[in-house]
Amino acid sequence: MSAARAFLSLGSNLGDKQQYLRDAIFELSSDVTVLGVSRLYETAPVGGVVQDDFLNVVIEIDTVLSPLELLDRCQALESQANRVRLVRFGPRTLDVDILLYGDSAIDSERLTIPHPRMFERKFVLQPLSDLAPELVPEELLLAALGDVVAIGML
């Protein structure tokens, strides 16, 4: 299998948020080539329960992992960060979502690519536009939900 260009969204709003994000990128780099990391954004939660703000980044990678293998790796990273899934859209130590995987369109029980809500969420689109502005139409960025503030680099 040849390498595919993919984009992942990483977020955290519990504990040492920056460290969870750094650790996930470091651990992932043993399986993929990290091509870029967006600016770090502080973002208000969208939907779900009342909770602390998130820190979010998007990373661009090259990978020979299949989409499902990459999903398994992302879920393993969440488990390593002791993520607990008690409430949908609730607080979490680490959330890792596959946004895009090459030109793939997948709609299965386990995985949907492109990510089904990515174009509704400013905390995804703003950091994605840092890395690949050609993938984020201005009108979608303006219409996306959520408040995001760039706070530097990870």
Side-chain angles (χ1 to χ4, degrees):
M1 172 181 253
S2 61
R5 177 184 183 210
F7 292 89
L8 307 179
S9 175
L10 291 82
S12 175
N13 77 335
L14 289 176
D16 189 341
K17 302 176 222 181
Q18 286 193 37
Q19 195 61 51
Y20 281 121
L21 297 175
R22 280 189 202 102
D23 289 349
I25 294 168
F26 176 78
E27 289 294 324
L28 194 58
S29 68
S30 66
D31 297 316
V32 305
T33 301
V34 177
L35 301 174
V37 179
S38 73
R39 290 180 289 174
L40 180 65
Y41 289 87
E42 185 171 57
T43 67
V46 175
V49 298
V50 175
Q51 56 190 304
D52 287 343
D53 286 350
F54 281 83
L55 293 183
N56 291 93
V57 296
V58 167
I59 63 171
E60 179 181 2
I61 64 171
D62 264 345
T63 182
V64 295
L65 298 175
S66 72
L68 287 175
E69 289 170 334
L70 183 59
L71 176 64
D72 289 340
R73 187 66 181 105
C74 292
Q75 291 176 339
L77 291 170
E78 293 173 346
S79 292
Q80 289 169 8
N82 298 313
R83 176 170 176 178
V84 178
R85 297 173 190 264
L86 296 177
V87 178
R88 183 170 166 84
F89 302 124
R92 63 210 70 172
T93 55
L94 183 64
D95 185 40
V96 184
D97 290 326
I98 303 170
L99 303 176
L100 300 165
Y101 183 97
D103 294 330
S104 295
I106 299 169
D107 189 9
S108 73
E109 194 172 307
R110 287 195 64 212
L111 181 62
T112 303
I113 295 176
H115 188 283
R117 290 173 298 283
M118 69 179 274
F119 292 110
E120 302 167 7
R121 297 173 168 176
K122 194 166 283 185
F123 68 85
V124 170
L125 294 180
Q126 188 66 60
L128 178 60
S129 72
D130 287 352
L131 299 173
E134 72 280 6
L135 298 177
V136 184
E138 181 80 18
E139 61 275 8
L140 288 180
L141 184 58
L142 292 173
L145 301 175
D147 297 320
V148 300
V149 177
I151 60 172
M153 298 303 288
L154 188 59

